[in-house]
Amino acid sequence: MRPATLKDVAAECGVSVPTASRVLNGGGHVSAETRRRIHEAAERLDFRPNALAQSFALGRSFTVGVLAQKASGNFSTPVITGIIAELSRRDVAVLVYDDEDNVSARPDNLRTLQARRVDGIIVVGDGTDMPFPSISKMFRTPVIHVFGVSESPEDTCFLPDDVQAGRLAAAHLLDQGRTRIAHVTAMRYSRAVRGRLKGFSAELEAAGRPLALAEPLFGDWTIPWGYRAGQELVDRFGAFDAIFCGNDYIALGITRAFERAGIRVPEDVALVGYDNWSKYSGSPDRFLTSIDPKLNELGHLAASALLSQEPSKRPNGINYQSCELVPGMSSGMLPFDELGAVAFRLD
């Protein structure tokens, strides 16, 4: 069966082809009843507008450019996947340009995007520690930043709420009856580290519980750092009964060090990580209790804001998306038999 045409929709409603076209493109001076009949006819006939014809008629390309700092990054990939899913749902094409974590590649990618005359641009970072020079004045179309920060406070940026993440971790461990809670994290200068520590400390303070060990242990985001921190903490065992880890890799390193020292997780020490990495790696592992920054949803949110016709949906400055605590065995939330026969291996 041949696909329905605009002429078929117009004939079904008894209106002219130009009238049907204007209404389906969001315009047209017609009554509410006529507008309703045209839209219902288009849906009934499963009418799909010709994208090329629409782009010429409306002066739009129906294409959005995604400019990625590093498209293959562990955490930028789910953001991009969310963007593409949302744009595809709205019949908008996507062009992805990847800097491949190489600053010198950006000028060429920007020139290509300018030549493409895209309807909007989403800049995807690979973290929030290095702000990007603003590109908004280079384009007449809207620019959105996600999982990365622009140097301009006037640009719209979407980030996970790291302060809320720290609060979630502390509240959960307190609810589990832990009273001496330590924090092992990455670099002091990191925006994410500072945000999570701020929320974590505020929640402990509100509960009247001081931070165990007096101050956090700072290192990097890796399993080896978590292991070294775990070895250091073995000698201080007894001064803490829970740890909020800056990410899941740190938590796994600490777990390895504790296991080899005979310290049990969660019986002796409860752990909470951040990233919910098993979700993005495709692993069924439910060992770690972790804070999920919901990166896929963050991509959906950025794409929706870009396409919105309401300026209030693209507010200037940084906009935070709430995170979610995902329970696992490491904080005592799941018994081992729910994890499967071999749910977690250290080697």
Side-chain angles (χ1 to χ4, degrees):
M1 184 172 63
R2 71 174 179 83
T5 66
L6 186 62
K7 186 176 181 179
D8 295 328
V9 175
E12 180 85 0
C13 301
V15 299
S16 68
V17 171
T19 296
S21 176
R22 283 192 292 270
V23 168
L24 293 175
N25 284 320
H29 298 287
V30 299
S31 67
E33 173 63 20
T34 300
R35 188 177 302 277
R36 181 189 63 78
R37 287 192 293 108
I38 291 172
H39 280 287
E40 286 182 353
E43 184 175 352
R44 187 165 56 251
L45 296 173
D46 195 26
F47 171 67
R48 292 292 181 268
N50 182 291
L52 182 60
Q54 274 195 316
S55 68
F56 281 123
L58 301 177
R60 295 177 53 194
S61 67
F62 293 95
T63 302
V64 165
V66 171
L67 181 60
Q69 177 188 0
K70 185 180 180 183
S72 61
N74 286 342
F75 304 111
S76 54
T77 297
V79 175
I80 294 171
T81 301
I83 291 170
I84 292 173
E86 182 63 28
L87 294 178
S88 297
R89 188 179 70 83
R90 301 185 185 215
D91 291 328
V92 176
V94 185
L95 295 173
V96 179
Y97 294 90
D98 187 8
D99 290 346
E100 297 179 335
D101 216 10
N102 179 5
V103 176
S104 64
R106 176 150 293 200
D108 284 342
N109 285 334
L110 287 172
R111 282 192 290 270
T112 304
L113 279 169
Q114 288 173 322
R116 286 284 189 173
R117 300 183 182 277
V118 293
D119 295 329
I121 296 171
I122 303 177
V123 180
V124 180
D126 193 34
T128 60
D129 291 337
M130 296 294 291
F132 287 105
S134 177
I135 63 171
S136 296
K137 293 183 179 179
M138 300 175 62
F139 296 89
R140 294 184 178 180
T141 52
V143 176
I144 299 281
H145 289 255
V146 60
F147 202 56
V149 182
S150 169
E151 289 181 344
S152 171
E154 297 180 0
D155 285 342
T156 300
C157 306
F158 289 95
L159 303 177
D161 191 339
D162 284 316
V163 174
Q164 185 231 7
R167 284 188 172 277
L168 282 174
H172 171 69
L173 291 169
L174 290 166
D175 286 345
Q176 294 299 104
R178 308 294 171 150
T179 58
R180 305 182 308 281
I181 308 174
H183 186 35
V184 180
T185 187
M187 302 77 68
R188 289 178 183 269
Y189 65 79
S190 167
R191 181 191 187 98
V193 166
R194 296 197 309 270
R196 293 167 205 171
L197 177 57
K198 179 179 179 180
F200 177 68
S201 300
E203 194 70 22
L204 289 183
E205 183 178 351
R209 295 292 181 183
L211 176 67
L213 309 180
E215 65 176 13
L217 300 184
F218 295 98
D220 57 38
W221 299 112
T222 65
I223 289 178
W225 156 239
Y227 183 74
R228 293 194 304 273
Q231 287 179 310
E232 179 180 336
L233 290 173
V234 165
D235 295 332
R236 305 168 76 176
F237 180 57
F240 57 91
D241 60 10
I243 304 171
F244 172 38
C245 305
N247 72 353
D248 288 354
Y249 286 157
I250 293 172
L252 293 178
I254 289 174
T255 302
R256 179 173 297 171
F258 282 1
E259 182 187 65
R260 291 178 177 174
I263 298 173
R264 301 168 302 165
V265 175
E267 292 86 351
D268 298 323
V269 180
L271 298 180
V272 171
Y274 179 100
D275 287 330
N276 193 23
W277 176 237
S278 63
K279 169 183 176 180
Y280 301 112
S281 65
S283 167
D285 182 8
R286 296 294 302 280
F287 172 75
L288 276 179
T289 295
S290 186
I291 307 296
D292 187 354
K294 300 193 292 187
L295 299 179
N296 192 266
E297 290 89 337
L298 197 66
H300 279 273
L301 182 63
S304 295
L306 183 77
L307 296 182
S308 174
Q309 300 301 312
E310 302 175 41
S312 62
K313 299 294 185 180
R314 294 196 296 270
N316 294 346
I318 296 175
N319 303 269
Y320 294 102
Q321 175 188 252
S322 62
C323 301
E324 178 182 9
L325 185 133
V326 180
M329 192 188 87
S330 67
S331 65
M333 287 294 290
L334 293 177
F336 184 79
D337 59 6
E338 287 191 26
L339 302 178
V342 184
F344 175 68
R345 297 181 65 91
L346 289 173
D347 298 319

PDB file of all heavy atoms in Angstrom, residues 198-232:
ATOM      1  N   LYS A 198      29.981  18.070  49.631  1.00  0.00           N
ATOM      2  CA  LYS A 198      29.123  19.090  50.250  1.00  0.00           C
ATOM      3  C   LYS A 198      27.807  18.477  50.725  1.00  0.00           C
ATOM      4  O   LYS A 198      27.380  18.693  51.872  1.00  0.00           O
ATOM      5  CB  LYS A 198      28.852  20.216  49.245  1.00  0.00           C
ATOM      6  CG  LYS A 198      27.958  21.313  49.793  1.00  0.00           C
ATOM      7  CD  LYS A 198      27.748  22.409  48.750  1.00  0.00           C
ATOM      8  CE  LYS A 198      26.824  23.506  49.284  1.00  0.00           C
ATOM      9  NZ  LYS A 198      26.608  24.574  48.259  1.00  0.00           N
ATOM     10  N   GLY A 199      27.153  17.718  49.855  1.00  0.00           N
ATOM     11  CA  GLY A 199      25.885  17.103  50.236  1.00  0.00           C
ATOM     12  C   GLY A 199      26.053  16.049  51.311  1.00  0.00           C
ATOM     13  O   GLY A 199      25.252  15.958  52.253  1.00  0.00           O
ATOM     14  N   PHE A 200      27.106  15.252  51.202  1.00  0.00           N
ATOM     15  CA  PHE A 200      27.399  14.189  52.169  1.00  0.00           C
ATOM     16  C   PHE A 200      27.626  14.782  53.563  1.00  0.00           C
ATOM     17  O   PHE A 200      27.038  14.338  54.555  1.00  0.00           O
ATOM     18  CB  PHE A 200      28.629  13.430  51.679  1.00  0.00           C
ATOM     19  CG  PHE A 200      29.121  12.351  52.598  1.00  0.00           C
ATOM     20  CD1 PHE A 200      28.376  11.213  52.819  1.00  0.00           C
ATOM     21  CD2 PHE A 200      30.355  12.476  53.233  1.00  0.00           C
ATOM     22  CE1 PHE A 200      28.842  10.208  53.659  1.00  0.00           C
ATOM     23  CE2 PHE A 200      30.826  11.480  54.060  1.00  0.00           C
ATOM     24  CZ  PHE A 200      30.064  10.349  54.287  1.00  0.00           C
ATOM     25  N   SER A 201      28.469  15.811  53.623  1.00  0.00           N
ATOM     26  CA  SER A 201      28.790  16.433  54.914  1.00  0.00           C
ATOM     27  C   SER A 201      27.564  17.098  55.526  1.00  0.00           C
ATOM     28  O   SER A 201      27.349  17.035  56.740  1.00  0.00           O
ATOM     29  CB  SER A 201      29.905  17.470  54.729  1.00  0.00           C
ATOM     30  OG  SER A 201      31.081  16.866  54.220  1.00  0.00           O
ATOM     31  N   ALA A 202      26.750  17.746  54.687  1.00  0.00           N
ATOM     32  CA  ALA A 202      25.550  18.426  55.191  1.00  0.00           C
ATOM     33  C   ALA A 202      24.573  17.431  55.802  1.00  0.00           C
ATOM     34  O   ALA A 202      23.958  17.707  56.847  1.00  0.00           O
ATOM     35  CB  ALA A 202      24.886  19.206  54.061  1.00  0.00           C
ATOM     36  N   GLU A 203      24.418  16.282  55.176  1.00  0.00           N
ATOM     37  CA  GLU A 203      23.482  15.279  55.690  1.00  0.00           C
ATOM     38  C   GLU A 203      23.986  14.698  57.007  1.00  0.00           C
ATOM     39  O   GLU A 203      23.197  14.489  57.946  1.00  0.00           O
ATOM     40  CB  GLU A 203      23.287  14.170  54.655  1.00  0.00           C
ATOM     41  CG  GLU A 203      22.116  13.259  54.922  1.00  0.00           C
ATOM     42  CD  GLU A 203      20.766  13.937  54.734  1.00  0.00           C
ATOM     43  OE1 GLU A 203      20.688  14.955  54.027  1.00  0.00           O
ATOM     44  OE2 GLU A 203      19.781  13.418  55.314  1.00  0.00           O
ATOM     45  N   LEU A 204      25.294  14.430  57.097  1.00  0.00           N
ATOM     46  CA  LEU A 204      25.851  13.937  58.360  1.00  0.00           C
ATOM     47  C   LEU A 204      25.685  14.966  59.470  1.00  0.00           C
ATOM     48  O   LEU A 204      25.321  14.636  60.602  1.00  0.00           O
ATOM     49  CB  LEU A 204      27.336  13.606  58.184  1.00  0.00           C
ATOM     50  CG  LEU A 204      27.702  12.383  57.340  1.00  0.00           C
ATOM     51  CD1 LEU A 204      29.213  12.187  57.340  1.00  0.00           C
ATOM     52  CD2 LEU A 204      27.007  11.124  57.851  1.00  0.00           C
ATOM     53  N   GLU A 205      25.965  16.216  59.135  1.00  0.00           N
ATOM     54  CA  GLU A 205      25.851  17.281  60.136  1.00  0.00           C
ATOM     55  C   GLU A 205      24.419  17.419  60.634  1.00  0.00           C
ATOM     56  O   GLU A 205      24.174  17.603  61.835  1.00  0.00           O
ATOM     57  CB  GLU A 205      26.335  18.605  59.543  1.00  0.00           C
ATOM     58  CG  GLU A 205      26.337  19.756  60.525  1.00  0.00           C
ATOM     59  CD  GLU A 205      26.870  21.044  59.930  1.00  0.00           C
ATOM     60  OE1 GLU A 205      27.400  21.002  58.791  1.00  0.00           O
ATOM     61  OE2 GLU A 205      26.757  22.096  60.593  1.00  0.00           O
ATOM     62  N   ALA A 206      23.460  17.316  59.710  1.00  0.00           N
ATOM     63  CA  ALA A 206      22.055  17.423  60.098  1.00  0.00           C
ATOM     64  C   ALA A 206      21.646  16.295  61.040  1.00  0.00           C
ATOM     65  O   ALA A 206      20.748  16.459  61.880  1.00  0.00           O
ATOM     66  CB  ALA A 206      21.167  17.418  58.856  1.00  0.00           C
ATOM     67  N   ALA A 207      22.316  15.143  60.907  1.00  0.00           N
ATOM     68  CA  ALA A 207      22.017  13.993  61.767  1.00  0.00           C
ATOM     69  C   ALA A 207      22.857  14.001  63.045  1.00  0.00           C
ATOM     70  O   ALA A 207      22.734  13.091  63.874  1.00  0.00           O
ATOM     71  CB  ALA A 207      22.258  12.697  60.994  1.00  0.00           C
ATOM     72  N   GLY A 208      23.723  15.000  63.186  1.00  0.00           N
ATOM     73  CA  GLY A 208      24.570  15.079  64.378  1.00  0.00           C
ATOM     74  C   GLY A 208      25.695  14.069  64.386  1.00  0.00           C
ATOM     75  O   GLY A 208      26.183  13.679  65.450  1.00  0.00           O
ATOM     76  N   ARG A 209      26.123  13.657  63.201  1.00  0.00           N
ATOM     77  CA  ARG A 209      27.194  12.663  63.095  1.00  0.00           C
ATOM     78  C   ARG A 209      28.408  13.291  62.420  1.00  0.00           C
ATOM     79  O   ARG A 209      28.327  13.748  61.274  1.00  0.00           O
ATOM     80  CB  ARG A 209      26.737  11.464  62.255  1.00  0.00           C
ATOM     81  CG  ARG A 209      25.605  10.677  62.886  1.00  0.00           C
ATOM     82  CD  ARG A 209      26.055   9.957  64.132  1.00  0.00           C
ATOM     83  NE  ARG A 209      24.977   9.176  64.744  1.00  0.00           N
ATOM     84  CZ  ARG A 209      25.104   8.510  65.878  1.00  0.00           C
ATOM     85  NH1 ARG A 209      26.262   8.532  66.522  1.00  0.00           N
ATOM     86  NH2 ARG A 209      24.087   7.840  66.374  1.00  0.00           N
ATOM     87  N   PRO A 210      29.553  13.322  63.079  1.00  0.00           N
ATOM     88  CA  PRO A 210      30.756  13.857  62.432  1.00  0.00           C
ATOM     89  C   PRO A 210      31.287  12.891  61.388  1.00  0.00           C
ATOM     90  O   PRO A 210      31.019  11.685  61.439  1.00  0.00           O
ATOM     91  CB  PRO A 210      31.749  13.998  63.598  1.00  0.00           C
ATOM     92  CG  PRO A 210      31.307  12.944  64.574  1.00  0.00           C
ATOM     93  CD  PRO A 210      29.811  12.887  64.461  1.00  0.00           C
ATOM     94  N   LEU A 211      32.036  13.420  60.432  1.00  0.00           N
ATOM     95  CA  LEU A 211      32.680  12.591  59.424  1.00  0.00           C
ATOM     96  C   LEU A 211      33.735  11.719  60.088  1.00  0.00           C
ATOM     97  O   LEU A 211      34.608  12.216  60.813  1.00  0.00           O
ATOM     98  CB  LEU A 211      33.324  13.483  58.353  1.00  0.00           C
ATOM     99  CG  LEU A 211      34.122  12.792  57.255  1.00  0.00           C
ATOM    100  CD1 LEU A 211      33.183  11.974  56.371  1.00  0.00           C
ATOM    101  CD2 LEU A 211      34.877  13.811  56.421  1.00  0.00           C
ATOM    102  N   ALA A 212      33.668  10.406  59.864  1.00  0.00           N
ATOM    103  CA  ALA A 212      34.673   9.506  60.428  1.00  0.00           C
ATOM    104  C   ALA A 212      36.044   9.809  59.830  1.00  0.00           C
ATOM    105  O   ALA A 212      36.157  10.233  58.676  1.00  0.00           O
ATOM    106  CB  ALA A 212      34.286   8.059  60.158  1.00  0.00           C
ATOM    107  N   LEU A 213      37.080   9.601  60.597  1.00  0.00           N
ATOM    108  CA  LEU A 213      38.478   9.823  60.200  1.00  0.00           C
ATOM    109  C   LEU A 213      38.810  11.307  60.047  1.00  0.00           C
ATOM    110  O   LEU A 213      39.858  11.658  59.518  1.00  0.00           O
ATOM    111  CB  LEU A 213      38.824   9.088  58.899  1.00  0.00           C
ATOM    112  CG  LEU A 213      38.456   7.599  58.842  1.00  0.00           C
ATOM    113  CD1 LEU A 213      38.860   7.023  57.495  1.00  0.00           C
ATOM    114  CD2 LEU A 213      39.079   6.844  59.981  1.00  0.00           C
ATOM    115  N   ALA A 214      37.918  12.184  60.459  1.00  0.00           N
ATOM    116  CA  ALA A 214      38.134  13.638  60.490  1.00  0.00           C
ATOM    117  C   ALA A 214      38.055  14.295  59.124  1.00  0.00           C
ATOM    118  O   ALA A 214      37.508  15.393  58.973  1.00  0.00           O
ATOM    119  CB  ALA A 214      39.464  13.995  61.158  1.00  0.00           C
ATOM    120  N   GLU A 215      38.599  13.674  58.081  1.00  0.00           N
ATOM    121  CA  GLU A 215      38.525  14.251  56.737  1.00  0.00           C
ATOM    122  C   GLU A 215      38.529  13.142  55.699  1.00  0.00           C
ATOM    123  O   GLU A 215      38.923  12.003  55.987  1.00  0.00           O
ATOM    124  CB  GLU A 215      39.687  15.202  56.486  1.00  0.00           C
ATOM    125  CG  GLU A 215      41.042  14.552  56.479  1.00  0.00           C
ATOM    126  CD  GLU A 215      42.146  15.546  56.120  1.00  0.00           C
ATOM    127  OE1 GLU A 215      41.888  16.760  56.119  1.00  0.00           O
ATOM    128  OE2 GLU A 215      43.266  15.074  55.829  1.00  0.00           O
ATOM    129  N   PRO A 216      38.091  13.454  54.465  1.00  0.00           N
ATOM    130  CA  PRO A 216      38.081  12.432  53.408  1.00  0.00           C
ATOM    131  C   PRO A 216      39.494  12.032  52.989  1.00  0.00           C
ATOM    132  O   PRO A 216      40.468  12.748  53.241  1.00  0.00           O
ATOM    133  CB  PRO A 216      37.357  13.136  52.245  1.00  0.00           C
ATOM    134  CG  PRO A 216      36.652  14.288  52.858  1.00  0.00           C
ATOM    135  CD  PRO A 216      37.477  14.717  54.026  1.00  0.00           C
ATOM    136  N   LEU A 217      39.594  10.889  52.344  1.00  0.00           N
ATOM    137  CA  LEU A 217      40.831  10.487  51.673  1.00  0.00           C
ATOM    138  C   LEU A 217      40.688  10.859  50.201  1.00  0.00           C
ATOM    139  O   LEU A 217      39.733  10.434  49.539  1.00  0.00           O
ATOM    140  CB  LEU A 217      41.075   8.984  51.807  1.00  0.00           C
ATOM    141  CG  LEU A 217      41.213   8.423  53.233  1.00  0.00           C
ATOM    142  CD1 LEU A 217      41.540   6.936  53.168  1.00  0.00           C
ATOM    143  CD2 LEU A 217      42.262   9.173  54.022  1.00  0.00           C
ATOM    144  N   PHE A 218      41.631  11.661  49.684  1.00  0.00           N
ATOM    145  CA  PHE A 218      41.566  12.126  48.302  1.00  0.00           C
ATOM    146  C   PHE A 218      42.588  11.392  47.450  1.00  0.00           C
ATOM    147  O   PHE A 218      43.723  11.165  47.884  1.00  0.00           O
ATOM    148  CB  PHE A 218      41.841  13.634  48.233  1.00  0.00           C
ATOM    149  CG  PHE A 218      40.805  14.476  48.914  1.00  0.00           C
ATOM    150  CD1 PHE A 218      41.018  14.951  50.210  1.00  0.00           C
ATOM    151  CD2 PHE A 218      39.619  14.798  48.282  1.00  0.00           C
ATOM    152  CE1 PHE A 218      40.072  15.743  50.850  1.00  0.00           C
ATOM    153  CE2 PHE A 218      38.663  15.586  48.916  1.00  0.00           C
ATOM    154  CZ  PHE A 218      38.890  16.053  50.199  1.00  0.00           C
ATOM    155  N   GLY A 219      42.193  11.012  46.235  1.00  0.00           N
ATOM    156  CA  GLY A 219      43.102  10.336  45.313  1.00  0.00           C
ATOM    157  C   GLY A 219      42.700  10.567  43.877  1.00  0.00           C
ATOM    158  O   GLY A 219      42.727  11.684  43.384  1.00  0.00           O
ATOM    159  N   ASP A 220      42.252   9.515  43.188  1.00  0.00           N
ATOM    160  CA  ASP A 220      41.751   9.648  41.820  1.00  0.00           C
ATOM    161  C   ASP A 220      40.542   8.729  41.665  1.00  0.00           C
ATOM    162  O   ASP A 220      40.009   8.215  42.645  1.00  0.00           O
ATOM    163  CB  ASP A 220      42.850   9.366  40.791  1.00  0.00           C
ATOM    164  CG  ASP A 220      43.487   7.983  40.957  1.00  0.00           C
ATOM    165  OD1 ASP A 220      42.750   7.018  41.281  1.00  0.00           O
ATOM    166  OD2 ASP A 220      44.706   7.862  40.769  1.00  0.00           O
ATOM    167  N   TRP A 221      40.125   8.496  40.396  1.00  0.00           N
ATOM    168  CA  TRP A 221      38.877   7.765  40.163  1.00  0.00           C
ATOM    169  C   TRP A 221      39.090   6.277  39.924  1.00  0.00           C
ATOM    170  O   TRP A 221      38.170   5.588  39.485  1.00  0.00           O
ATOM    171  CB  TRP A 221      38.146   8.350  38.961  1.00  0.00           C
ATOM    172  CG  TRP A 221      37.734   9.782  39.073  1.00  0.00           C
ATOM    173  CD1 TRP A 221      38.213  10.844  38.370  1.00  0.00           C
ATOM    174  CD2 TRP A 221      36.725  10.330  39.936  1.00  0.00           C
ATOM    175  NE1 TRP A 221      37.581  12.004  38.735  1.00  0.00           N
ATOM    176  CE2 TRP A 221      36.664  11.728  39.698  1.00  0.00           C
ATOM    177  CE3 TRP A 221      35.881   9.774  40.903  1.00  0.00           C
ATOM    178  CZ2 TRP A 221      35.778  12.563  40.374  1.00  0.00           C
ATOM    179  CZ3 TRP A 221      34.999  10.615  41.573  1.00  0.00           C
ATOM    180  CH2 TRP A 221      34.960  11.985  41.305  1.00  0.00           C
ATOM    181  N   THR A 222      40.245   5.713  40.194  1.00  0.00           N
ATOM    182  CA  THR A 222      40.587   4.370  39.724  1.00  0.00           C
ATOM    183  C   THR A 222      40.449   3.292  40.801  1.00  0.00           C
ATOM    184  O   THR A 222      40.473   3.568  42.003  1.00  0.00           O
ATOM    185  CB  THR A 222      42.037   4.340  39.212  1.00  0.00           C
ATOM    186  OG1 THR A 222      42.926   4.599  40.308  1.00  0.00           O
ATOM    187  CG2 THR A 222      42.254   5.390  38.123  1.00  0.00           C
ATOM    188  N   ILE A 223      40.382   2.029  40.336  1.00  0.00           N
ATOM    189  CA  ILE A 223      40.403   0.878  41.239  1.00  0.00           C
ATOM    190  C   ILE A 223      41.722   0.810  42.013  1.00  0.00           C
ATOM    191  O   ILE A 223      41.703   0.567  43.234  1.00  0.00           O
ATOM    192  CB  ILE A 223      40.143  -0.428  40.455  1.00  0.00           C
ATOM    193  CG1 ILE A 223      38.681  -0.488  39.998  1.00  0.00           C
ATOM    194  CG2 ILE A 223      40.465  -1.650  41.310  1.00  0.00           C
ATOM    195  CD1 ILE A 223      38.328  -1.710  39.180  1.00  0.00           C
ATOM    196  N   PRO A 224      42.893   1.015  41.366  1.00  0.00           N
ATOM    197  CA  PRO A 224      44.147   0.990  42.147  1.00  0.00           C
ATOM    198  C   PRO A 224      44.157   1.989  43.297  1.00  0.00           C
ATOM    199  O   PRO A 224      44.662   1.679  44.381  1.00  0.00           O
ATOM    200  CB  PRO A 224      45.213   1.314  41.101  1.00  0.00           C
ATOM    201  CG  PRO A 224      44.642   0.792  39.823  1.00  0.00           C
ATOM    202  CD  PRO A 224      43.164   1.063  39.917  1.00  0.00           C
ATOM    203  N   TRP A 225      43.623   3.198  43.095  1.00  0.00           N
ATOM    204  CA  TRP A 225      43.557   4.146  44.207  1.00  0.00           C
ATOM    205  C   TRP A 225      42.641   3.616  45.307  1.00  0.00           C
ATOM    206  O   TRP A 225      42.958   3.695  46.496  1.00  0.00           O
ATOM    207  CB  TRP A 225      43.079   5.521  43.745  1.00  0.00           C
ATOM    208  CG  TRP A 225      42.456   6.331  44.861  1.00  0.00           C
ATOM    209  CD1 TRP A 225      41.197   6.823  44.902  1.00  0.00           C
ATOM    210  CD2 TRP A 225      43.062   6.725  46.105  1.00  0.00           C
ATOM    211  NE1 TRP A 225      40.967   7.492  46.084  1.00  0.00           N
ATOM    212  CE2 TRP A 225      42.098   7.451  46.841  1.00  0.00           C
ATOM    213  CE3 TRP A 225      44.318   6.515  46.664  1.00  0.00           C
ATOM    214  CZ2 TRP A 225      42.349   7.959  48.107  1.00  0.00           C
ATOM    215  CZ3 TRP A 225      44.575   7.042  47.940  1.00  0.00           C
ATOM    216  CH2 TRP A 225      43.599   7.763  48.639  1.00  0.00           C
ATOM    217  N   GLY A 226      41.490   3.047  44.919  1.00  0.00           N
ATOM    218  CA  GLY A 226      40.603   2.479  45.923  1.00  0.00           C
ATOM    219  C   GLY A 226      41.285   1.383  46.719  1.00  0.00           C
ATOM    220  O   GLY A 226      41.116   1.286  47.942  1.00  0.00           O
ATOM    221  N   TYR A 227      42.087   0.576  46.035  1.00  0.00           N
ATOM    222  CA  TYR A 227      42.800  -0.505  46.719  1.00  0.00           C
ATOM    223  C   TYR A 227      43.819   0.052  47.711  1.00  0.00           C
ATOM    224  O   TYR A 227      43.926  -0.421  48.852  1.00  0.00           O
ATOM    225  CB  TYR A 227      43.491  -1.407  45.693  1.00  0.00           C
ATOM    226  CG  TYR A 227      44.193  -2.588  46.308  1.00  0.00           C
ATOM    227  CD1 TYR A 227      43.468  -3.670  46.808  1.00  0.00           C
ATOM    228  CD2 TYR A 227      45.584  -2.640  46.406  1.00  0.00           C
ATOM    229  CE1 TYR A 227      44.103  -4.755  47.384  1.00  0.00           C
ATOM    230  CE2 TYR A 227      46.230  -3.718  46.979  1.00  0.00           C
ATOM    231  CZ  TYR A 227      45.490  -4.766  47.462  1.00  0.00           C
ATOM    232  OH  TYR A 227      46.125  -5.842  48.046  1.00  0.00           O
ATOM    233  N   ARG A 228      44.577   1.068  47.286  1.00  0.00           N
ATOM    234  CA  ARG A 228      45.567   1.673  48.188  1.00  0.00           C
ATOM    235  C   ARG A 228      44.883   2.325  49.387  1.00  0.00           C
ATOM    236  O   ARG A 228      45.353   2.208  50.530  1.00  0.00           O
ATOM    237  CB  ARG A 228      46.409   2.718  47.441  1.00  0.00           C
ATOM    238  CG  ARG A 228      47.310   2.133  46.374  1.00  0.00           C
ATOM    239  CD  ARG A 228      48.349   3.141  45.913  1.00  0.00           C
ATOM    240  NE  ARG A 228      47.774   4.381  45.419  1.00  0.00           N
ATOM    241  CZ  ARG A 228      47.383   4.583  44.161  1.00  0.00           C
ATOM    242  NH1 ARG A 228      47.490   3.595  43.276  1.00  0.00           N
ATOM    243  NH2 ARG A 228      46.885   5.749  43.777  1.00  0.00           N
ATOM    244  N   ALA A 229      43.757   2.993  49.123  1.00  0.00           N
ATOM    245  CA  ALA A 229      43.014   3.599  50.233  1.00  0.00           C
ATOM    246  C   ALA A 229      42.494   2.527  51.176  1.00  0.00           C
ATOM    247  O   ALA A 229      42.532   2.686  52.409  1.00  0.00           O
ATOM    248  CB  ALA A 229      41.851   4.432  49.682  1.00  0.00           C
ATOM    249  N   GLY A 230      42.021   1.419  50.599  1.00  0.00           N
ATOM    250  CA  GLY A 230      41.540   0.313  51.422  1.00  0.00           C
ATOM    251  C   GLY A 230      42.634  -0.259  52.304  1.00  0.00           C
ATOM    252  O   GLY A 230      42.402  -0.575  53.482  1.00  0.00           O
ATOM    253  N   GLN A 231      43.845  -0.399  51.745  1.00  0.00           N
ATOM    254  CA  GLN A 231      44.968  -0.888  52.548  1.00  0.00           C
ATOM    255  C   GLN A 231      45.260   0.045  53.719  1.00  0.00           C
ATOM    256  O   GLN A 231      45.542  -0.397  54.832  1.00  0.00           O
ATOM    257  CB  GLN A 231      46.210  -1.025  51.666  1.00  0.00           C
ATOM    258  CG  GLN A 231      46.154  -2.195  50.695  1.00  0.00           C
ATOM    259  CD  GLN A 231      47.407  -2.260  49.836  1.00  0.00           C
ATOM    260  OE1 GLN A 231      47.817  -1.261  49.243  1.00  0.00           O
ATOM    261  NE2 GLN A 231      48.012  -3.433  49.780  1.00  0.00           N
ATOM    262  N   GLU A 232      45.209   1.357  53.447  1.00  0.00           N
ATOM    263  CA  GLU A 232      45.417   2.339  54.528  1.00  0.00           C
ATOM    264  C   GLU A 232      44.325   2.227  55.577  1.00  0.00           C
ATOM    265  O   GLU A 232      44.594   2.320  56.786  1.00  0.00           O
ATOM    266  CB  GLU A 232      45.450   3.752  53.942  1.00  0.00           C
ATOM    267  CG  GLU A 232      45.633   4.844  54.979  1.00  0.00           C
ATOM    268  CD  GLU A 232      45.661   6.239  54.388  1.00  0.00           C
ATOM    269  OE1 GLU A 232      45.988   6.366  53.184  1.00  0.00           O
ATOM    270  OE2 GLU A 232      45.344   7.200  55.121  1.00  0.00           O
TER     271      GLU A 232
END
